[in-house]
């Protein structure tokens, strides 16, 4: 099957620091790729390079056969197709939940407001937050905010969803409600790249797990092999560091 | 009690007229300050060290200088030294705008730097253009932070207009003094009645404004 996202040899430096070192990666339509790796290894940077929130120093990112060019005037058109949810809650504080959800479809996609609201309510119901539609973000718990943030990304009907440690800032009892939404999306056949430190979640959701260290892919594989029979020393060491926490 | 003088002739109307002068000067100055302050405030986040330095210097000077000194400088100073003849009202609008612009620009700078970068990024990630991000995401948040604070500035300006009688403008306090002066013999208690009325007038104007600012602050607290 054809890759919908093709990352070709991207390199990213911050001055002397090489964060991504000629990294290649393909994602097929409907595939769920989980990225793991030590803190600071460049996972967030990789996701941010994919939708051109960061400039890349070399290589290219190709979505649907088209190169994503940060200088492109049509960049926002490309970004519509890439949904992203960050670690910190980033809902728009001056808008209610419902307004947060319909803003981008109405403004960016010129969707009919009534139609957008209908879709928003349908998705809110799915994540169990229908009753919060008129609340402001400050009135929601962290887990609820992240579920709304996921729905907000889904509202644009993206071709690929990038999730960057979306449960890392949550209290433990809220992690599950968010991850269940993501599992649900995986079942539905959404294409996703997920960065997470929740290894048991990674096992459950991933079609393929990728281990990054030092800005390169060190090892990758389907979750069974990846977690049970790691081949490289670095991955063994990394997985071991989680064992007796 | 000294309130009778108010009903003599058109004394009350004159007091209200004086209040009108004070309000006109402060409202005009606030409008000018809002516009210029927004422009300067956006520039203050500029990385250019010269622009930043000049703007900080300006802000410090305005903070340190008593408004009265600025008023004297603008009114008497310019007439004598520069040979420009500006009216007292123009001079006070200049000074009040000079002051208000500095304060407002600092408020705008603060509001802008208080918006976390992730707000820009999540907006971009949703496909908003730079312009749409500004219009729909950033400016509404800035305005919500700014309005209560700028209302606050309005009340401070209205209060400070009591200084402009020192350069000969007949505002509400000056009118009061004139009335007291004129009735010194016939009504020695006029001072209390008049000053109390002036107090009530300031209160009637400023209290609703500061109430409004409190209300908006509550409503929009994030
Ligand atoms: N704006 C920046 N300027 C300079 N260095 C940066 C910047 N952003 C990230 N870095 C550096 O790039 C490296 C990779 O950062 P990145 O955020 O991608 O790591 P990460 O794998 O997401 O880590 P974590 O698991 O802690 O989120 C880190 O060493 C970080 O310090
Ligand atoms: Mg990260």
């Amino acid at each position: 099957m054809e890759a919908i996202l093709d990352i070709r040899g991207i390199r990213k430096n911050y001055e002397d620091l090489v964060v991504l070192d000629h990294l290649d990666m393909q994602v097929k339509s409907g595939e769920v790729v989980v990225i793991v790796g030590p803190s600071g290894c460049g996972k967030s940077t990789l996701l941010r390079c994919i939708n051109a929130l960061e400039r890349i120093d070399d290589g290219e990112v190709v979505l649907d056969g088209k190169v994503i060019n940060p200088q492109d005037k049509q960049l926002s058109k490309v970004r519509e197709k890439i949904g992203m949810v960050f670690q910190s809650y980033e809902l728009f504080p001056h808008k209610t939940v419902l307004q947060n959800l319909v803003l981008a479809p109405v403004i960016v996609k010129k969707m009919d407001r009534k139609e957008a609201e209908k879709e928003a309510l349908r998705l809110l119901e799915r994540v169990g937050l229908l009753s919060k539609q008129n609340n402001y973000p400050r009135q929601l718990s962290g887990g609820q905010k992240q579920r709304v943030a996921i729905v907000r990304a889904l509202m644009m009907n993206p071709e690929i969803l990038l999730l960057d440690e979306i449960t890392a800032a949550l209290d433990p009892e809220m992690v599950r409600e968010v991850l269940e939404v993501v599992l649900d999306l995986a079942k539905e056949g959404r294409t996703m790249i997920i960065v997470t430190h929740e290894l048991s979640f990674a096992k459950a959701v991933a079609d393929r797990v990728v281990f990054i260290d030092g800005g390169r892919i060190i090892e990758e594989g389907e979750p069974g092999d990846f977690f049970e029979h790691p081949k490289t020393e670095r991955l063994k060491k990394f997985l071991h560091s989680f064992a007796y926490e | 009690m000294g309130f009778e003088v108010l009903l003599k002739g058109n004394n009350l109307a004159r007091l209200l007229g004086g209040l009108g002068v004070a309000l006109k000067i402060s409202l005009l100055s606030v409008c000018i300050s809002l516009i210029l302050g927004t422009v300067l405030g956006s520039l203050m986040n500029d990385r250019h060290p010269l622009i930043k330095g000049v703007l900080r210097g300006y802000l410090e000077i305005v903070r340190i200088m008593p408004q009265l000194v600025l008023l004297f400088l603008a009114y008497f100073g310019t007439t004598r030294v520069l040979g420009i003849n500006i009216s007292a009202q123009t001079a006070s609008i200049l000074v009040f705008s000079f002051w208000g612009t500095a304060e407002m620009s600092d408020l705008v700078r603060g509001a802008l730097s208080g918006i976390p970068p992730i707000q820009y990024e999540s907006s971009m990630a949703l496909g908003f253009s730079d312009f749409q991000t500004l219009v729909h995401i950033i400016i509404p948040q800035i305005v919500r932070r700014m309005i209560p604070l700028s209302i606050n500035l309005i009340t401070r300006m209205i209060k400070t207009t009591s200084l402009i009688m020192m350069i000969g403008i007949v505002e509400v306090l000056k009118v009061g003094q004139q009335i007291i002066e004129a009735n010194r013999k016939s009504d020695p208690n006029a001072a209390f009645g008049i000053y109390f009325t002036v107090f009530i007038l300031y209160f009637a104007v400023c209290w609703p404004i500061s109430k409004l600012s409190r209300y908006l602050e509550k409503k929009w607290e994030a």
Side-chain angles (χ1 to χ4, degrees):
Chain A
M1 200 171 174
E2 181 78 3
I4 95 164
L5 180 73
D6 191 357
I7 297 165
R8 296 176 186 157
I10 62 170
R11 195 166 57 80
K12 171 76 190 169
N13 320 331
Y14 290 112
E15 271 134 44
D16 300 347
L17 179 72
V18 180
V19 179
L20 297 176
D21 188 8
H22 294 282
L23 186 140
D24 294 291
M25 188 166 136
Q26 283 81 38
V27 180
K28 294 197 280 277
S29 179
E31 194 179 20
V32 177
V33 176
V34 168
I35 298 178
V36 298
S39 182
C41 72
K43 305 179 295 291
S44 300
T45 306
L46 174 60
L47 294 194
R48 295 163 58 80
C49 285
I50 292 175
N51 69 357
L53 285 176
E54 299 287 347
R55 271 164 185 283
I56 49 181
D57 297 301
D58 198 6
E60 57 189 15
V61 177
V62 182
L63 180 74
D64 256 352
K66 282 189 277 296
V67 177
I68 298 180
N69 179 358
Q71 272 84 20
D72 197 341
K73 288 218 175 54
Q74 296 300 307
L75 185 58
S76 54
K77 278 264 162 276
V78 184
R79 284 179 173 151
E80 282 179 39
K81 301 185 192 169
I82 307 173
M84 183 152 182
V85 181
F86 302 81
Q87 168 177 339
S88 55
Y89 326 123
E90 80 312 350
L91 297 177
F92 305 131
H94 60 297
K95 304 246 174 226
T96 65
V97 167
L98 192 59
Q99 290 167 342
N100 260 281
L101 299 181
V102 300
L103 191 64
V106 168
I107 303 293
V108 178
K109 276 197 159 173
K110 312 277 178 251
M111 200 171 168
D112 177 62
R113 181 175 290 274
K114 282 270 160 301
E115 222 165 280
E117 283 180 358
K118 225 171 92 189
E119 174 68 1
L121 294 177
R122 191 181 70 78
L123 289 170
L124 274 181
E125 176 153 37
R126 229 181 98 181
V127 301
L129 290 176
L130 195 53
S131 63
K132 301 287 183 193
Q133 53 175 294
N134 294 319
N135 286 66
Y136 281 90
R138 63 173 182 273
Q139 300 166 316
L140 304 183
S141 74
Q144 292 168 336
K145 276 188 251 189
Q146 286 300 59
R147 281 183 278 161
V148 174
I150 295 172
V151 171
R152 189 176 65 179
L154 290 178
M155 286 293 293
M156 298 302 281
N157 205 7
E159 290 174 23
I160 184 165
L161 208 49
L162 312 176
L163 308 181
D164 190 3
E165 299 198 42
I166 58 171
T167 59
L170 295 181
D171 291 335
E173 71 270 19
M174 287 170 190
V175 169
R176 190 169 199 97
E177 67 189 41
V178 175
L179 294 185
E180 253 153 26
V181 171
V182 181
L183 276 170
D184 203 36
L185 293 176
K187 265 186 227 136
E188 190 187 87
R190 291 266 172 192
T191 314
M192 293 191 274
I193 302 180
I194 301 171
V195 172
T196 184
H197 285 298
E198 306 274 343
L199 295 192
S200 55
F201 168 67
K203 236 177 270 184
V205 78
D207 295 313
R208 177 156 56 102
V209 191
V210 175
F211 174 59
I212 295 183
D213 197 3
R216 289 169 163 277
I217 295 181
I218 305 297
E219 185 169 343
E220 60 181 308
E222 54 92 18
D225 275 350
F226 184 91
F227 290 108
E228 305 314 324
H229 310 290
K231 292 190 257 319
T232 57
E233 275 314 307
R234 274 156 97 173
L235 177 55
K236 279 180 198 162
K237 231 176 107 196
F238 175 73
L239 291 176
H240 195 69
S241 70
F242 283 84
Y244 298 103
E245 270 184 344
Chain B
M1 288 289 279
F3 288 107
E4 304 78 22
V5 262
L6 282 174
L7 303 174
K8 241 199 237 165
N10 55 358
N11 280 351
L12 186 59
R14 282 176 59 206
L15 269 182
L16 288 175
L19 186 68
V21 171
L23 288 183
K24 186 181 103 186
I25 289 174
S26 33
L27 284 184
L28 270 173
S29 309
V30 166
C31 289
I32 296 172
S33 307
L34 260 175
I35 297 167
L36 294 182
T38 305
V39 175
L40 284 193
S42 323
L43 287 178
M44 268 182 172
N45 284 342
D46 201 287
R47 267 172 284 271
H48 201 291
L50 187 66
I51 296 179
K52 231 166 132 174
V54 169
L55 291 177
R56 283 234 68 87
Y58 163 50
L59 187 60
E60 285 305 313
I61 289 173
V62 174
R63 289 240 166 105
I64 292 167
M65 227 21 130
Q67 272 88 26
L68 194 55
V69 176
L70 289 174
L71 276 173
F72 284 163
L73 195 66
Y75 186 55
F76 301 115
T78 52
T79 335
R80 292 285 140 78
V81 179
L82 301 178
I84 319 167
N85 214 340
I86 55 173
S87 75
Q89 290 213 10
T90 311
S92 37
I93 290 175
L94 274 179
V95 167
F96 276 56
S97 303
F98 183 72
W99 162 39
T101 299
E103 298 255 354
M104 200 58 85
S105 66
D106 200 41
L107 294 181
V108 170
R109 185 200 55 75
L112 265 175
S113 62
I115 305 256
I118 194 107
Q119 285 287 318
Y120 294 88
E121 292 182 344
S122 51
S123 164
M124 302 278 192
L126 281 167
F128 286 95
S129 65
D130 288 355
F131 181 71
Q132 288 169 331
T133 300
L134 215 55
V135 170
H136 295 282
I137 311 300
I138 306 304
I139 290 177
Q141 292 188 52
I142 301 276
V143 167
R144 276 169 169 69
R145 288 166 197 225
M146 292 291 306
I147 283 185
L149 298 170
S150 30
I151 289 178
N152 214 313
L153 184 63
I154 298 178
T155 55
R156 276 161 56 213
M157 278 202 179
I158 293 175
K159 284 192 289 189
T160 315
T161 51
S162 55
L163 293 180
I164 61 182
M165 70 172 183
M166 306 294 283
I167 57 171
I169 297 179
V170 185
E171 46 68 73
V172 59
L173 202 56
K174 186 70 193 175
V175 175
Q177 285 185 348
Q178 289 173 347
I179 295 174
I180 294 165
E181 205 59 34
N183 295 281
R184 167 151 297 175
K185 297 235 170 62
S186 62
D187 196 346
N189 280 337
F192 178 76
I194 293 295
Y195 285 137
F196 191 77
T197 309
V198 170
F199 166 80
I200 295 291
L201 287 178
Y202 273 123
F203 184 81
V205 171
C206 290
W207 189 71
I209 298 180
S210 92
K211 256 309 210 219
L212 176 69
S213 122
R214 203 88 42 79
Y215 166 77
L216 291 176
E217 217 166 334
K218 270 248 169 58
K219 188 175 159 199
W220 285 335
E221 99 189 295

